[in-house]
Amino acid sequence: MPTSRLETFSDGVFAIAATLLILDVQATGSPLAHELLRIWPSYLAYAISFLTIGIIWVNHHTVMGQVGRVDRTYLFLTVGFLMAVAFLPFPTRLVAEHLRGTGAKAAALAYGITMTTTAVFFQGVWFYAAIGRRLLREDADRRVVAGISRSYIPGPFLYLGATLIALASPTVSVILFGAIALFYVLESSLFARGQG
Amino acid sequence: MPTSRLETFSDGVFAIAATLLILDVQATGSPLAHELLRIWPSYLAYAISFLTIGIIWVNHHTVMGQVGRVDRTYLFLTVGFLMAVAFLPFPTRLVAEHLRGTGAKAAALAYGITMTTTAVFFQGVWFYAAIGRRLLREDADRRVVAGISRSYIPGPFLYLGATLIALASPTVSVILFGAIALFYVLESSLFARGQG
Amino acid sequence: MPTSRLETFSDGVFAIAATLLILDVQATGSPLAHELLRIWPSYLAYAISFLTIGIIWVNHHTVMGQVGRVDRTYLFLTVGFLMAVAFLPFPTRLVAEHLRGTGAKAAALAYGITMTTTAVFFQGVWFYAAIGRRLLREDADRRVVAGISRSYIPGPFLYLGATLIALASPTVSVILFGAIALFYVLESSLFARGQG
Amino acid sequence: MPTSRLETFSDGVFAIAATLLILDVQATGSPLAHELLRIWPSYLAYAISFLTIGIIWVNHHTVMGQVGRVDRTYLFLTVGFLMAVAFLPFPTRLVAEHLRGTGAKAAALAYGITMTTTAVFFQGVWFYAAIGRRLLREDADRRVVAGISRSYIPGPFLYLGATLIALASPTVSVILFGAIALFYVLESSLFARGQG
């Protein structure tokens, strides 16, 4: 079973989930100029979420580059993973709308739980393929595989930590979600350098 | 006529229909924390529907792996099939909004009729290709083809049964929709094992 | 310049435009069972529009099968064509909402003007490629090319006619839009038989 | 690392961002016929934005035709670029709703800032690949590369200029956004002729 259709479907979900985020940016108040300044948390939530989905996509790209074939269990793990990714526009809207109100804690928790779930599923997708090199390509590079494994292990813990902090301070929590995204962009670059 | 564009278009509709489901998850009440707990039927409906579309996609993947060429009748059957798949976000929203209200019966019926129609169309797509091996690849495996045929025959009847039960109890009906989805995930695994 | 990316982009727009149509199906009244029966024009509009986009996609598929390369003028003609296709969810919603009200005439006219524009653009896309065999494949079949040309010429006139009838009777006009869609499904089958 | 998945993801975002624009065309007033005439700025905004995204897509197509491989920095630059493209439906809605009201200036500024950001990111994507021929194909045509570089340099300045004019007259600003789009369609044709 080739990997190409899995990639088309996944890329479709990534692209749509990322693009739907813009529907969560709404300016309904008046006058418009003030309203556009007032809704800055919307822009922040859009940017962090889009970047986060972008990072997940780039990493999924890297994973699929090492995967040579798929089986039905792997397909269903991917469906679960994409279900978590496609859920992201909902907590993103919550954060954008409630970050400065009484619902800030609930919104940040919803966002964090979604991201933690996504990270757990991504681990599942990767380790199902990688353990015993079950689905890896014949010529998958041992160092790249080890690098991916190493960089994916902290993911759920980082997100779980940032999520729990929302109980004390939703704002710090959201800043940490941004920081984790940034960390993964930079980490990816370091990681890529290691590949060269 | 190659099958690749049909797959791109189908994967697009699957990916969008699945991702649009998140627009049906809405939290408008207050306070937010209570509201996020109160709308649990939304999450259930999202998960069942996403998983269901994911299963249909995995199965379509399996079917297309056996199909070697397409004709215009097959293309239009697929368009009808996708029309039913893309309709799913509407009854999903109904179930999410009305499962605990007076509209529960109507919502479960709408969901069930959509799923039954989808299953009928999927049968049409498959048997049009498979009968007399009209559109199958030269080297399509006789056992896989028989396995798909066998596993697709009960589909419409399972969904029709669960739909009719909504007349007596919408809640039982929705639980059955979840169970059918779960059955197809497991059945697929069994089936895949048979392939090995 | 290869044709594959043009196909990916076009298939994306077709798939999204078709799938977005479901957002125009809304049930807000009460009780739900009555509401679901009352909004039957929504289902009709969804089905006609989805089928229409499906037909356009199938025909675009046939056209691209004869096109061997693209130039930038062709790309922009395609962008204009897709702009008309992606506009369709808007008049579809109008027809669904207003078919039985005072806005029926305006809604049917909006739908008809969109379809006529789409048909004109599709002619432009085809004849730009076909005249003098400018962009056709070396081995494009003379009879298929003539068949496409012949079947595309009446398109804009059929839609313009059905649009003008909306001035007298919006309902007849919408029935004709359905009939044209049906005609193109059947005509395509006849046409495909000619190909065999 | 092949370029194909990057193209699938990018084409998905382009296709969705373009198609979502139709959600910004809304007719809620009464009577419908008057309303459909009254909302002409919606159509204009839809057409300009769809055409603009179409042009960016065509140009991205041209760029990717010269790019032979991608690295992770390039992927993240593309994610940033797509983040700006996918933002466009929001300021498009603002322009459509506010062009004749008191929010015209803010709306035109929002649109212009988005387009300027998009143009800056597109430059970043291109020059990162082109400088020192870092990611270009071995056989990338020297004249085509120089042509792309030349035609991309003015982009951010043209958009920045049109944006600043919004401070004096939002209407003139919007006309200029249309003119820039038209210029790039024509320029592309000239440019393509140079390629022949």
Side-chain angles (χ1 to χ4, degrees):
Chain A
M1 200 179 277
T3 63
S4 61
R5 267 198 83 182
L6 179 60
E7 292 180 336
T8 310
F9 181 68
S10 305
D11 287 354
V13 173
F14 284 126
I16 299 154
T19 315
L20 280 185
L21 294 168
I22 196 60
L23 298 181
D24 299 336
V25 180
Q26 300 275 355
T28 48
S30 177
L32 185 59
H34 288 189
E35 173 74 0
L36 289 180
L37 296 177
R38 200 187 62 78
I39 62 170
W40 66 263
S42 293
Y43 310 138
L44 187 68
Y46 173 81
I48 291 179
S49 300
F50 199 102
L51 195 61
T52 300
I53 291 180
I55 291 160
I56 299 171
W57 171 74
V58 169
N59 285 336
H60 192 247
H61 195 287
T62 307
V63 164
M64 292 307 291
Q66 304 300 321
V67 168
R69 57 205 184 74
V70 298
D71 61 16
R72 288 174 78 98
T73 306
Y74 188 78
L75 289 179
F76 283 116
L77 277 172
T78 304
V79 167
F81 164 60
L82 294 173
M83 186 163 70
V85 168
F87 197 78
L88 200 58
F90 174 64
T92 298
R93 184 171 53 232
L94 295 180
V95 169
E97 282 174 6
H98 297 276
L99 187 55
R100 288 168 310 177
T102 54
K105 188 179 292 182
L109 281 173
Y111 190 93
I113 291 169
T114 305
M115 283 312 303
T116 307
T117 307
T118 305
V120 168
F121 264 114
F122 203 177
Q123 278 210 347
V125 167
W126 171 244
F127 286 109
Y128 179 79
I131 285 176
R133 301 175 71 89
R134 193 188 273 121
L135 302 175
L136 299 190
R137 289 188 306 153
E138 291 295 308
D139 59 341
D141 186 319
R142 198 170 283 272
R143 278 183 317 159
V144 175
V145 169
I148 296 177
S149 293
R150 211 168 40 233
S151 76
Y152 283 9
I153 287 171
F157 302 99
L158 289 173
Y159 276 112
L160 186 59
T163 304
L164 292 176
I165 284 169
L167 294 170
S169 166
T171 308
V172 172
S173 180
V174 168
I175 291 169
L176 283 174
F177 292 135
I180 296 173
L182 212 63
F183 164 76
Y184 267 105
V185 172
L186 296 176
E187 194 275 336
S188 298
S189 310
L190 293 170
F191 169 67
R193 208 176 300 158
Q195 257 185 289
Chain B
M1 202 180 275
T3 63
S4 62
R5 268 198 84 182
L6 179 60
E7 292 180 335
T8 310
F9 181 69
S10 305
D11 287 354
V13 172
F14 284 125
I16 299 154
T19 315
L20 281 185
L21 295 168
I22 196 60
L23 298 182
D24 299 336
V25 181
Q26 300 274 355
T28 49
S30 178
L32 185 59
H34 288 190
E35 173 74 1
L36 288 180
L37 297 177
R38 201 187 61 77
I39 61 169
W40 65 264
S42 292
Y43 311 138
L44 188 69
Y46 172 80
I48 291 179
S49 300
F50 199 102
L51 196 59
T52 300
I53 290 180
I55 291 160
I56 299 172
W57 171 73
V58 170
N59 285 336
H60 191 248
H61 195 288
T62 307
V63 164
M64 291 308 291
Q66 304 301 321
V67 168
R69 56 203 186 76
V70 298
D71 60 18
R72 289 174 79 97
T73 306
Y74 188 79
L75 290 179
F76 283 117
L77 278 171
T78 304
V79 167
F81 165 60
L82 295 172
M83 184 162 73
V85 169
F87 196 79
L88 200 58
F90 174 63
T92 298
R93 182 170 55 233
L94 295 180
V95 169
E97 281 175 7
H98 297 277
L99 187 55
R100 288 168 309 179
T102 54
K105 188 179 293 182
L109 282 173
Y111 191 92
I113 290 169
T114 305
M115 283 312 302
T116 307
T117 307
T118 305
V120 168
F121 264 114
F122 203 178
Q123 278 210 347
V125 167
W126 171 245
F127 286 109
Y128 179 79
I131 286 177
R133 302 175 70 89
R134 191 188 273 121
L135 302 175
L136 299 189
R137 289 189 306 154
E138 291 295 309
D139 60 342
D141 187 316
R142 197 169 284 271
R143 278 183 318 162
V144 175
V145 169
I148 296 176
S149 293
R150 212 169 37 234
S151 75
Y152 283 10
I153 287 172
F157 301 100
L158 289 174
Y159 276 112
L160 185 60
T163 304
L164 292 176
I165 284 168
L167 294 170
S169 166
T171 309
V172 172
S173 180
V174 168
I175 291 169
L176 284 174
F177 293 135
I180 297 173
L182 212 63
F183 165 76
Y184 268 105
V185 172
L186 296 176
E187 194 274 337
S188 297
S189 311
L190 294 171
F191 168 68
R193 206 177 301 156
Q195 258 185 292
Chain C
M1 199 178 275
T3 62
S4 62
R5 267 197 84 184
L6 179 60
E7 292 180 335
T8 310
F9 181 68
S10 305
D11 287 354
V13 173
F14 283 125
I16 299 154
T19 315
L20 281 184
L21 295 168
I22 196 61
L23 298 182
D24 299 336
V25 181
Q26 300 275 355
T28 49
S30 177
L32 185 59
H34 288 191
E35 174 74 0
L36 289 179
L37 296 177
R38 201 187 61 77
I39 61 169
W40 64 264
S42 293
Y43 310 138
L44 187 69
Y46 172 80
I48 291 179
S49 300
F50 199 102
L51 195 60
T52 300
I53 290 179
I55 291 160
I56 299 171
W57 170 73
V58 170
N59 286 335
H60 191 248
H61 194 288
T62 307
V63 163
M64 291 308 291
Q66 303 301 321
V67 168
R69 60 206 182 73
V70 299
D71 60 18
R72 289 173 80 96
T73 306
Y74 187 78
L75 290 179
F76 284 117
L77 277 172
T78 303
V79 167
F81 164 60
L82 294 173
M83 183 162 74
V85 169
F87 197 77
L88 200 57
F90 174 63
T92 298
R93 183 170 55 235
L94 295 180
V95 168
E97 281 174 7
H98 296 277
L99 186 57
R100 287 167 312 178
T102 53
K105 189 179 290 182
L109 282 173
Y111 190 92
I113 290 167
T114 305
M115 283 312 304
T116 307
T117 308
T118 305
V120 168
F121 263 114
F122 205 178
Q123 277 209 345
V125 167
W126 171 245
F127 286 109
Y128 179 79
I131 286 177
R133 301 177 71 89
R134 190 188 274 121
L135 301 175
L136 299 190
R137 291 188 306 154
E138 291 295 309
D139 60 340
D141 187 316
R142 196 170 283 273
R143 277 182 319 161
V144 175
V145 169
I148 296 176
S149 293
R150 211 168 39 232
S151 75
Y152 283 9
I153 287 172
F157 301 101
L158 289 174
Y159 276 111
L160 184 60
T163 305
L164 293 176
I165 283 169
L167 294 170
S169 166
T171 309
V172 172
S173 181
V174 168
I175 291 170
L176 284 174
F177 293 135
I180 297 174
L182 212 64
F183 164 76
Y184 268 105
V185 172
L186 297 176
E187 193 275 336
S188 297
S189 310
L190 294 171
F191 169 68
R193 205 176 302 156
Q195 258 185 291
Chain D
M1 200 178 275
T3 62
S4 62
R5 267 197 84 183
L6 179 60
E7 292 180 335
T8 309
F9 181 68
S10 305
D11 287 354
V13 173
F14 284 127
I16 299 154
T19 315
L20 281 185
L21 295 168
I22 195 61
L23 299 181
D24 299 336
V25 180
Q26 300 275 356
T28 48
S30 177
L32 185 60
H34 288 191
E35 174 73 1
L36 288 180
L37 296 177
R38 200 187 62 77
I39 61 170
W40 65 264
S42 292
Y43 310 138
L44 187 68
Y46 173 80
I48 291 179
S49 300
F50 199 103
L51 195 61
T52 300
I53 290 180
I55 291 161
I56 298 171
W57 171 73
V58 170
N59 286 336
H60 191 247
H61 195 287
T62 307
V63 164
M64 291 307 291
Q66 304 300 321
V67 167
R69 57 205 184 72
V70 299
D71 61 17
R72 288 173 79 97
T73 306
Y74 187 78
L75 289 180
F76 283 117
L77 276 173
T78 304
V79 168
F81 164 60
L82 294 173
M83 185 162 72
V85 169
F87 197 78
L88 200 58
F90 174 64
T92 298
R93 184 171 53 234
L94 295 180
V95 168
E97 282 173 7
H98 297 276
L99 186 56
R100 287 167 313 178
T102 53
K105 189 179 292 182
L109 281 173
Y111 191 93
I113 290 167
T114 305
M115 283 312 303
T116 307
T117 307
T118 305
V120 168
F121 263 114
F122 204 178
Q123 278 209 347
V125 167
W126 170 244
F127 285 109
Y128 179 78
I131 286 176
R133 302 176 70 88
R134 190 189 273 122
L135 301 175
L136 300 189
R137 289 189 306 154
E138 291 295 310
D139 59 340
D141 187 318
R142 198 169 282 275
R143 277 182 318 159
V144 175
V145 170
I148 296 176
S149 293
R150 211 168 41 231
S151 75
Y152 282 9
I153 287 172
F157 301 100
L158 289 173
Y159 276 112
L160 185 59
T163 305
L164 293 176
I165 285 169
L167 294 170
S169 165
T171 308
V172 172
S173 181
V174 168
I175 290 169
L176 283 175
F177 292 135
I180 296 173
L182 212 63
F183 164 76
Y184 267 105
V185 172
L186 297 175
E187 194 275 336
S188 297
S189 309
L190 293 171
F191 169 67
R193 207 176 299 157
Q195 257 185 290

